[in-house]
Amino acid sequence: MSNCNRNFSSIVVDGNDRAPNRSMLRAVGFEDEDFEKPQIAVCSAWSMVTPCNSHLDELGKASVHGVDSAGGKAVPFGTITVSDGISMGTPGMRYSLVSREVIADSIETVVGAEGMDGLVAIGGCDKNMPACVIALARMNRPGVFVYGGTILPGIHKEKNLDIVSVFEAVGSHASGLIDQAELTEIEKKAIPGPGSCGGMYTANTMSSAIEALGMSLPDSSAQLAVSEDKKIDAKKAGAAVVDLIEKDIKPRDIMTRKAFENAITVVISLGGSTNAVLHLIAMAHAAEVPLSLDDFTEIGKKVPVLCDLKPSGKYNMSHFVRIGGLRPLLKTLLQEGLLHGDCMTVTGKTLAENVANAEPYAPYPHGQDLVRPFNDPIKPDSHLRILYGNLAADGAVAKITGKEGLKFSGKAIVYESEEASLKGILIGEVEAGHVVVIRNEGPVGGPGMREMLSPTSAIMGKGLGKEVALITDGRFSGGSHGFVVGHVTPEAAVGGLIGLIENDDPITIDAENNQLTLDLPVEEIEKRKSSWTRPEPKEKRGVLSKYAKLVSSASLGAITDGD
């Protein structure tokens, strides 16, 4: 295999200078013939920390089989993950976005240090997925991403449940809408087994984006975690990397500007998570592809929201799997001229070739009512709104489907942390007409940019979803919905105007004109700015301290290896 990066397979050994290396590898299972094969890393984010990743060890074994059967030599290793769902609403959530960088760095470190020829990267939860792709882009060695798959929904009173159901049930319990016994039943039933959170939340958003990007095999994004299809996908991915090495197709041949435009288009059509904005910008940076907040606006002007998926819609990802998954949607978007069909993918074929034989969805609305036709979309343009204005000079990201309305004006009620806001919501401080302001939760100020799922779910659970808005320099879970704006930049910790808002200040969120405004005289704003002093860092040592020193603005993807 002439295209190998590995020193064993591409360099003729003269004398005994490589004997120590071979000796080490013999101890982990290499035979004589293996030194002539491409060495392919199989990195799995398996752990029992979270159900999203609890089955990835089996998928890793399937990928190893695929590599070895195709003539490569698989070398499996592991990386970390953290559980957003478990750490949500706690100080531990500060490590969530940080973990994306730790995972990408760890994969890069192993693949670079050991001189691997290729990589299968297997992820199942929000941050390890973009992290895997960031690592693939950085190393630029033939590789494939494998998604761990989606969870099946829980059932309670004939209604589908997922993790967001539990968060919203907490708000319902606080309002007296359900009792403790029912809250406990929902808690017990919501997560029935392995797999990523079941709506079009961040994990399923990113799996779909990565397939559209061309970095996973067709159908990988829309499969059940516990299924034979997912094991087959993992095995095929191993063989695909061997093929990519033969053809000398590398990640940056695939992750082009047009491929990222395809990914953005698919995220919008699915009604996907705001986290996709953060992650796609970071992934593009790793691939040295220019991508900005404004690209989401421009692409979003012509792409409709077509899929009725949670959190704002009706269906789970398992239902999307049942009606055919992503490929029919890709084919439809291609036929409508909204995708670049000539983009290369990890199959060694173009996107257009991959979807050519995809069967269309059953007719809407009698065959299925999950995917709408172009002449009857859920929303004619993007639900991901990039807002500017005096409160977001460098941009903010809103997720507004139109079900919440398109404009909200109200009086600020300010909280300095997620915990303080949740307490205020649950005890009734937050009332109709309020704009909840949660600050000091940005990449630097958190540090770590926590997701505000607990406050947004409490608002929905208390029945205030259409009467209260929320803005934050933190971010949102893919499960958040309502009139919410995150990623407000500049963040409070670096002097952003969000840090100078006072209770009862008037705020306007305008998703038609894409504006986020503190409605105060310029003189008053300048007066407040003149009295601002930079706060002391919350963390002085450890990974959070390092992150706060290195991390960029959320508008640049919250990356840690910027210029």
Side-chain angles (χ1 to χ4, degrees):
M1 301 233 175
S2 59
N3 294 318
C4 296
N5 296 306
R6 240 348 238 128
N7 49 8
F8 292 111
S9 51
S10 59
I11 298 175
V12 176
V13 176
D14 182 16
N16 297 317
D17 56 336
R18 297 299 180 188
N21 311 65
R22 294 197 301 271
S23 181
M24 293 289 285
L25 289 170
R26 290 184 194 280
V28 293
F30 272 60
E31 304 292 343
D32 287 346
E33 61 271 19
D34 292 328
F35 296 114
E36 304 302 318
K37 299 174 182 177
Q39 189 177 134
I40 296 172
V42 176
C43 179
S44 159
W46 171 81
S47 77
M48 295 304 288
V49 169
T50 170
C52 309
N53 290 37
S54 62
H55 62 302
L56 297 190
D57 55 334
E58 294 301 319
L59 299 186
K61 292 172 184 175
S63 289
V64 166
H65 186 202
V67 169
D68 292 344
S69 297
K73 176 58 179 175
V75 181
F77 70 94
T79 186
I80 68 158
T81 195
V82 300
S83 172
D84 290 1
I86 295 171
S87 63
M88 196 77 71
T90 76
M93 186 63 190
R94 296 182 299 165
Y95 290 91
S96 170
L97 188 57
V98 177
S99 76
R100 186 189 74 183
E101 307 307 298
V102 175
I103 295 163
D105 291 350
S106 70
I107 296 173
E108 176 191 345
T109 299
V110 175
V111 172
E114 305 308 318
M116 305 292 189
D117 297 306
L119 170 63
V120 179
I122 307 170
C125 198
D126 295 8
K127 309 310 167 298
N128 53 61
M129 299 167 65
C132 287
V133 178
I134 287 169
L136 283 160
R138 286 181 188 171
M139 300 310 295
N140 200 33
R141 299 176 190 183
V144 175
F145 173 74
V146 176
Y147 176 44
T150 190
I151 197 170
L152 288 165
I155 304 291
H156 177 66
K157 292 185 176 179
E158 300 183 356
K159 291 184 179 179
N160 290 328
L161 299 177
D162 55 32
I163 186 61
V164 177
S165 308
V166 185
F167 281 95
E168 293 185 358
V170 171
S172 297
H173 178 260
S175 298
L177 299 176
I178 63 173
D179 60 18
Q180 182 64 47
E182 185 164 4
L183 175 58
T184 301
E185 280 300 300
I186 292 171
E187 173 207 320
K188 289 179 176 179
K189 295 176 179 177
I191 311 294
S196 297
C197 299
M200 188 48 64
Y201 310 146
T202 302
N204 286 317
T205 297
M206 291 312 301
S207 72
S208 302
I210 292 166
E211 182 175 333
L213 189 66
M215 286 303 298
S216 62
L217 294 176
D219 297 319
S220 182
S221 68
Q223 293 171 330
L224 298 179
V226 182
S227 68
E228 194 61 29
D229 286 342
K230 184 43 67 183
K231 291 179 182 178
I232 293 170
D233 176 51
K235 182 180 178 182
K236 285 183 176 179
V241 176
V242 177
D243 184 57
L244 288 168
I245 290 172
E246 289 278 10
K247 294 175 178 175
D248 195 26
I249 298 173
K250 299 182 177 70
R252 295 192 194 183
D253 300 324
I254 295 168
M255 297 170 65
T256 63
R257 165 73 189 200
K258 291 198 296 184
F260 277 100
E261 290 176 359
N262 286 347
I264 293 171
T265 296
V266 167
V267 167
I268 293 169
S269 67
L270 291 166
S273 167
T274 53
N275 278 316
V277 179
L278 199 72
H279 295 324
L280 286 171
I281 290 174
M283 290 156 58
H285 169 79
E288 299 188 41
V289 171
L291 197 70
S292 73
L293 289 176
D294 294 338
D295 291 314
F296 289 81
T297 297
E298 290 306 308
I299 293 170
K301 290 176 181 177
K302 59 186 179 181
V303 179
V305 179
L306 298 174
C307 298
D308 192 16
L309 290 160
K310 289 186 175 183
S312 57
K314 181 165 62 171
Y315 289 107
N316 287 94
M317 190 67 170
S318 59
H319 300 107
F320 190 55
V321 173
R322 191 179 304 160
I323 67 168
L326 187 65
R327 280 206 302 155
L329 180 62
L330 292 175
K331 187 174 184 178
T332 302
L333 291 167
L334 183 62
Q335 291 170 339
E336 293 289 331
L338 295 176
L339 292 179
H340 303 288
D342 58 341
C343 289
M344 180 55 61
T345 75
V346 291
T347 64
K349 299 178 181 178
T350 64
L351 176 70
E353 290 173 318
N354 286 347
V355 303
N357 64 350
E359 294 292 328
Y361 299 118
Y364 177 90
H366 303 296
Q368 57 82 28
D369 63 348
L370 193 161
V371 181
R372 305 273 282 266
F374 273 81
N375 62 4
D376 184 22
I378 292 170
K379 191 172 187 289
D381 57 3
S382 181
H383 64 301
L384 296 176
R385 314 303 293 187
I386 307 302
L387 309 184
Y388 290 98
N390 64 2
L391 266 176
D394 295 335
V397 181
K399 179 177 173 182
I400 298 174
T401 65
K403 296 179 181 180
E404 313 85 353
L406 295 173
K407 190 172 183 178
F408 191 100
S409 294
K411 299 291 186 181
I413 182 167
V414 180
Y415 296 100
E416 302 296 342
S417 69
E418 179 188 9
E419 288 87 351
S421 72
L422 180 60
K423 180 180 178 181
I425 294 163
L426 292 177
I427 67 175
E429 287 180 354
V430 174
E431 299 175 348
H434 271 142
V435 177
V436 178
V437 178
I438 308 175
R439 62 194 182 196
N440 297 307
E441 292 286 4
V444 174
M449 204 179 182
R450 290 192 290 179
E451 293 180 344
M452 303 294 111
L453 180 58
S454 294
T456 59
S457 297
I459 288 169
M460 298 304 293
K462 288 178 73 70
L464 293 170
K466 294 185 178 181
E467 298 172 295
V468 167
L470 187 151
I471 70 171
T472 181
D473 52 8
R475 58 196 175 90
F476 296 113
S477 161
S480 290
H481 57 124
F483 217 109
V484 297
V485 182
H487 308 204
V488 174
T489 56
E491 62 174 289
V494 300
L497 188 54
I498 189 173
L500 305 178
I501 300 171
E502 297 177 0
N503 284 333
D504 295 324
D505 281 350
I507 294 173
T508 298
I509 306 165
D510 185 344
E512 291 183 302
N513 296 303
N514 296 330
Q515 292 288 305
L516 178 62
T517 309
L518 179 62
D519 298 314
L520 290 177
V522 173
E523 296 78 11
E524 174 61 21
I525 291 173
E526 291 303 317
K527 177 183 175 183
R528 295 185 190 182
K529 284 183 177 180
S530 67
S531 63
W532 181 80
T533 57
R534 192 181 187 98
E536 285 291 313
K538 292 178 183 175
E539 300 290 340
K540 302 295 179 63
R541 295 287 184 273
V543 67
L544 292 177
S545 175
K546 287 191 287 186
Y547 183 82
K549 291 172 184 175
L550 292 171
V551 70
S552 76
S553 163
S555 64
L556 299 175
I559 57 173
T560 56
D561 62 343
D563 298 329

